[in-house]
Amino acid sequence: MKKTTFYHTSQYSSILICVVLLLILPSIAVYGVPNLPLNFDGWVMDALNKLEISGIMDGYHRNSLPLSRSDVAKIIQKTEKRIHTEEITLSSIDRKLLDKLKREFKAELSERDKTDTDKNYMQKTDIRIQSESREANSEIALALQSGLHYAIGNNRSQITFYTELEVADSEPGIDYVESYFLPDAAPLEKTADQRYEKWHRDYVVDFKRSYLQYQFAAFGEAEFDILIGRDYVYWGTSPEKSVSISDNSPPFELVRFTAKIGTLKATAFTSQLNSTWYDDGTTRYLAKRFLSAHRLDYQFRDWLEIGISEMVLYGGDAQALQWEYVNPFILYYAVQYNAKKDDNIILSFDASVRPVDGLRLYAEWLADDFQYQSDSNDPHAVAWITGFDWYPLFLERQLGIHSEYVRINRWTYTHLEPDNQFTHFGAIIGHPIGTDADLFSCSLSYQATPSALIETRFSHQRNGEANVTDRFYGEDFKSIPFPSGTVERLSEIRVGWQYRPIGGFNGSINYAWRHIQNRDNTESDSEQQHRIVVLLAYAWTK
């Protein structure tokens, strides 16, 4: 069976107006890594990443996110010093991107300059409020994002309060436009907690982030950071989504501790996840669930970054916080092994290397269940990513080439205990394609101006019949192909124009053609889709 489906997110008259506007003002590509405070479309991370790949930045632990505004100001300040000492030279577009970053963070940079010259100077960032309204969706419903940022202190010690509010006619997500192109979520078990409540006319009001943060320098180059509240975490090398901890799920309610000593960065956090109901017909209980994780990230000069992470997700009837998992200095696996527990321990390794300026190679590998014993009859539940970003010098680094392959084996992210599957509020904490799936993608982008980029993208995704709710019960896994069963295949070609200045009018238009074979893993069920997503917004900045 073949059929063609059209999706659009605005009325035709509004699309025409936006097309005319966006042909004049093309725009910037959006990646999925966490957005910086008071920057809702991710252009800051895109600019930092491009400059780092070009060899402009002196490295900034890009595989352990998010960054704070003070972190970004420090990165810009170090880059300016490298330019003044003539260590590096910039292309025209890279210079303009750096100037745009300096305009966005001019308040933080000014305060850092003052405290560098006067150690007793007390820095105070006035309350900054940035709001953004947007029109999208089939009914052109108005949406609003607003952030409030307040910081006080100096280069040695600073306290920050931040909160980010979103009002929209759809469930809040990290990337409003990209949510229209992400794969459909896998079916998950019933969640006891409720993350969103529909309001008037199906609007959702949500505080996406809200936290109190204390940063201080103890001695030499040692810096420490304590954060309490609600925030995203992103650990991985990919500019899109990670296989370990990404921004695919809602943000965490957490306590996070970060230490940076020279080129070594250590991060640890503990979070309580959503509760779930367990009911097998004879036993019924409310499972409390927790996630603890710690990570080491090491940089060698400015061209190599290596990271190792360990995570543990545990839950159950009358489950309480396990203080041994809060301890960031011991291995979770050792704690579980000695106590004969059946918690979900996950280990990941990642690395990125810049062999020459303009080229970045990266890879991630995750083991949800790796069988190191030779007599084991269980499968490897692993996932991995490999890819590259390339900005050729001969085109003044305005052309970007990106390619990536993701594979997530069957039974990854799941667990024999349903309470311990790697999910949060019905979303996988890792990569959104789920388990028993892989994805290949490649894209070309052209950075016309610091705020304007045109991108075209091709991707091919395969989804097997298994999902994150499936358990391993001793099947003959060696005879099961990857992906398993009737495989759904989704091919997509997308073209997009986006425009994102620091403030004022901004917008985007994306068109995608999709061909789906064996839709919903049903043999010979094919479908074609045409999706148009138009976004028109206005940002007020102070």
Side-chain angles (χ1 to χ4, degrees):
M1 180 180 70
K2 293 185 178 180
K3 62 180 181 179
T4 301
T5 304
F6 287 88
Y7 290 80
H8 61 87
T9 59
S10 66
Q11 296 174 350
Y12 292 114
S13 59
S14 296
I15 288 180
L16 182 60
I17 294 173
C18 292
V19 168
V20 173
L21 173 64
L22 296 172
L23 285 175
I24 301 173
L25 304 173
S27 80
I28 188 164
V30 178
Y31 286 145
V33 293
N35 303 318
L36 272 289
L38 301 179
N39 293 279
F40 302 109
D41 66 349
W43 74 262
V44 171
M45 283 309 306
D46 286 343
L48 289 175
N49 291 344
K50 185 180 184 306
L51 292 174
E52 192 262 348
I53 294 170
S54 299
I56 308 304
M57 301 294 183
D58 191 23
Y60 59 89
H61 296 287
R62 63 170 288 168
N63 301 340
S64 299
L65 299 175
L67 303 174
S68 67
R69 291 188 67 88
S70 62
D71 290 333
V72 179
K74 188 181 303 181
I75 293 168
I76 297 172
Q77 194 177 52
K78 289 177 63 178
T79 302
E80 283 290 294
K81 290 179 180 179
R82 297 186 76 197
I83 295 173
H84 291 156
T85 57
E86 298 183 347
E87 290 183 39
I88 53 176
T89 57
L90 287 76
S91 67
S92 175
I93 191 66
D94 288 342
R95 164 58 71 182
K96 292 175 181 177
L97 282 172
L98 182 60
D99 289 342
K100 183 180 178 183
L101 284 169
K102 290 165 62 177
R103 291 196 303 272
E104 169 62 31
F105 294 91
K106 61 182 179 181
E108 287 81 6
L109 290 169
S110 175
E111 295 296 331
R112 289 191 63 84
D113 290 340
K114 291 177 182 177
T115 52
D116 282 343
T117 55
D118 182 2
K119 300 300 181 182
N120 296 319
Y121 176 78
M122 180 59 69
Q123 171 181 330
K124 180 181 178 182
T125 301
D126 293 334
I127 293 178
R128 299 184 60 193
I129 300 176
Q130 175 175 312
S131 61
E132 177 181 271
S133 65
R134 61 190 179 212
E135 291 187 357
N137 219 329
S138 57
E139 299 178 355
I140 321 184
L142 180 68
L144 173 70
Q145 290 188 112
S146 180
L148 186 150
H149 175 272
Y150 179 78
I152 186 170
N154 54 39
N155 290 354
R156 305 291 298 177
S157 177
Q158 185 177 101
I159 296 177
T160 301
F161 171 74
Y162 178 73
T163 185
E164 182 178 323
L165 175 70
E166 181 175 47
V167 181
D169 67 333
S170 59
E171 292 186 359
I174 194 68
D175 189 329
Y176 189 81
V177 173
E178 193 67 21
S179 63
Y180 288 97
F181 300 102
L182 287 174
D184 294 333
L188 299 175
E189 295 173 352
K190 184 177 180 181
T191 295
D193 294 335
Q194 184 167 311
R195 174 66 175 160
Y196 309 111
E197 174 64 30
K198 293 294 182 68
W199 185 48
H200 183 61
R201 293 187 178 180
D202 289 334
Y203 267 80
V204 173
V205 181
D206 183 56
F207 286 91
K208 297 170 64 177
R209 285 174 172 157
S210 188
Y211 56 76
L212 186 68
Q213 184 179 27
Y214 177 48
Q215 298 172 290
F216 62 97
F219 52 88
E221 295 185 357
E223 301 175 1
F224 299 92
D225 182 323
I226 301 173
L227 183 146
I228 301 174
R230 174 180 294 181
D231 198 13
Y232 287 96
V233 177
Y234 189 98
W235 290 351
T237 61
S238 172
E240 297 184 350
K241 296 291 179 183
S242 170
V243 293
S244 59
I245 299 180
S246 75
D247 52 11
N248 184 56
S249 73
F252 303 112
E253 317 293 341
L254 52 74
V255 176
R256 186 173 71 222
F257 179 79
T258 304
K260 287 186 286 187
I261 304 177
T263 58
L264 184 67
K265 180 178 180 180
T267 309
F269 74 87
T270 292
S271 170
Q272 181 169 348
L273 304 180
N274 68 297
S275 301
T276 57
W277 284 111
Y278 178 84
D279 189 351
D280 63 0
T282 59
T283 304
R284 187 175 187 269
Y285 62 81
L286 179 65
K288 295 291 185 182
R289 305 167 68 241
F290 300 88
L291 173 67
S292 292
H294 49 199
R295 173 182 173 88
L296 282 176
D297 194 278
Y298 172 73
Q299 280 188 318
F300 180 72
R301 303 184 186 247
D302 63 345
W303 63 273
L304 175 66
E305 185 171 353
I306 302 172
I308 178 173
S309 307
E310 188 186 26
M311 298 147 277
V312 56
L313 196 155
Y314 57 99
D317 188 15
Q319 179 69 62
L321 183 68
Q322 300 296 302
W323 288 100
E324 58 268 36
Y325 289 143
V326 178
N327 187 342
F329 304 107
I330 58 177
L331 295 177
Y332 301 146
Y333 181 81
V335 171
Q336 177 195 236
Y337 187 85
N338 291 332
K340 295 184 177 180
K341 295 181 178 180
D342 193 19
D343 300 326
N344 193 1
I345 303 289
I346 299 176
L347 187 67
S348 71
F349 300 89
D350 55 71
S352 59
V353 60
R354 184 171 51 82
V356 295
D357 289 349
L359 176 64
R360 175 177 179 261
L361 311 175
Y362 62 87
E364 303 176 26
W365 184 79
L366 174 140
D368 189 354
D369 196 1
F370 186 77
Q371 307 306 319
Y372 59 86
Q373 296 174 321
S374 58
D375 58 347
S376 174
N377 292 318
D378 292 344
H380 297 308
V382 299
W384 50 277
I385 291 178
T386 183
F388 71 87
D389 289 301
W390 182 30
Y391 293 95
L393 179 61
F394 59 85
L395 289 173
E396 293 295 320
R397 305 213 192 280
Q398 288 182 277
L399 176 68
I401 304 172
H402 172 73
S403 184
E404 180 177 285
Y405 176 73
V406 186
R407 171 168 169 154
I408 304 176
N409 285 358
R410 186 169 176 169
W411 298 297
T412 307
Y413 299 142
T414 189
H415 196 269
L416 278 176
E417 297 292 336
D419 308 329
N420 294 342
Q421 67 185 21
F422 201 57
T423 60
H424 182 39
F425 283 108
I428 292 174
I429 296 172
H431 205 282
I433 65 173
T435 185
D436 195 21
D438 66 353
L439 171 66
F440 169 77
S441 64
C442 61
S443 63
L444 296 175
S445 62
Y446 183 76
Q447 188 87 50
T449 73
S451 299
L453 186 144
I454 305 169
E455 183 181 43
T456 181
R457 171 188 171 96
F458 168 78
S459 63
H460 180 71
Q461 179 177 332
R462 299 185 301 170
N463 301 294
E465 291 185 352
N467 59 58
V468 74
T469 64
D470 292 322
R471 323 279 172 213
F472 177 69
Y473 294 115
E475 295 93 332
D476 182 11
F477 63 89
K478 294 181 180 179
S479 65
I480 300 176
F482 175 86
S484 65
T486 301
V487 179
E488 178 187 75
R489 292 177 170 83
L490 189 156
S491 298
E492 179 183 273
I493 299 175
R494 192 195 317 176
V495 179
W497 298 265
Q498 297 180 10
Y499 177 74
R500 183 63 188 190
I502 293 176
F505 278 107
N506 60 88
S508 66
I509 179 169
N510 285 269
Y511 164 78
W513 172 83
R514 285 182 167 186
H515 182 226
I516 305 175
Q517 296 175 288
N518 302 330
R519 184 170 57 92
D520 297 329
N521 303 107
T522 302
E523 189 73 38
S524 301
D525 188 355
S526 299
E527 179 181 0
Q528 293 188 49
Q529 298 177 352
H530 298 272
R531 294 192 173 188
I532 299 175
V533 178
V534 177
L535 174 67
L536 181 62
Y538 187 90
W540 290 266
T541 59
K542 178 182 180 296

